[in-house]
Amino acid sequence: LPVTSSAKVAGSQKPRTNAEVQLSVERVPESVPSASQPRSAAEHAALLATLHRRFPQTSTINPPIDSRHWSTNLLRAWFEDGGNLSIASLSREAPTSANRKLIDQVGASFPVVDLPPVDVGPEGLLGALRQRDQSAVGAVVKHLEEFDCVTCPLGV
């Protein structure tokens, strides 16, 4: 007997079988936004099984529990990227609070290092640019070359 889920096929009242869920995964266009309701456990399990078959290099990893709330496209991107979410994948999604939370979590485990501010003068970076202060701009450029980021007062 096929396993069924409580999810309904659009426009009908009949339950979806695992085979129907798997077929619907393969037919979902890339532009479908995140669903407001999470997939049922059965639908999610069927989707994961399909994606594991399609991306065998991910057979030993599983997405986080809250991936039931992710769109099919985002889940597919997670599998395509070997179990990673990228800002590029997330930026293609509808701007939901769940997706904003995922974006905020990117890099959360990276070490945080406080950088000393670069002295660009009393009027900040904008003032240095207005005054064509080559030494202040040079200090910013040097800091960017060394650290890939800079901390300085903007001067607004």
Side-chain angles (χ1 to χ4, degrees):
L1 291 172
V3 177
T4 60
S5 73
S6 60
K8 306 293 182 197
V9 176
S12 80
Q13 294 300 314
K14 85 173 184 160
R16 294 167 74 171
T17 65
N18 284 345
E20 288 171 322
V21 171
Q22 290 170 358
L23 285 174
S24 69
V25 168
E26 295 169 6
R27 293 182 186 154
V28 173
E30 291 301 318
S31 62
V32 173
S34 297
S36 59
Q37 296 295 322
R39 282 179 287 282
S40 70
E43 280 185 308
H44 192 62
L47 176 56
L48 292 180
T50 298
L51 291 168
H52 276 299
R53 280 193 305 279
R54 190 178 290 170
F55 303 99
Q57 71 276 16
T58 64
S59 63
T60 60
I61 58 175
N62 284 306
I65 299 291
D66 62 349
S67 64
R68 284 184 52 210
H69 298 270
W70 298 0
S71 71
T72 302
N73 296 325
L74 186 58
L75 193 56
R76 182 182 297 124
W78 184 89
F79 275 89
E80 288 171 350
D81 291 338
N84 296 297
L85 282 182
S86 67
I87 294 293
S89 298
L90 288 164
S91 67
R92 290 188 292 266
E93 291 293 304
T96 64
S97 61
N99 290 342
R100 283 193 295 276
K101 182 189 269 187
L102 288 171
I103 289 171
D104 289 343
Q105 291 173 352
V106 171
S109 63
F110 295 160
V112 176
V113 177
D114 290 329
L115 295 175
V118 174
D119 182 11
V120 289
E123 294 182 37
L125 181 60
L126 295 177
L129 291 171
R130 273 193 304 275
Q131 296 171 12
R132 301 183 200 286
D133 183 342
Q134 293 298 321
S135 65
V137 173
V140 169
V141 169
K142 181 180 179 198
H143 204 82
L144 284 171
E145 288 173 343
E146 187 175 343
F147 298 104
D148 291 324
C149 59
V150 67
T151 303
C152 64
L154 187 56
V156 197

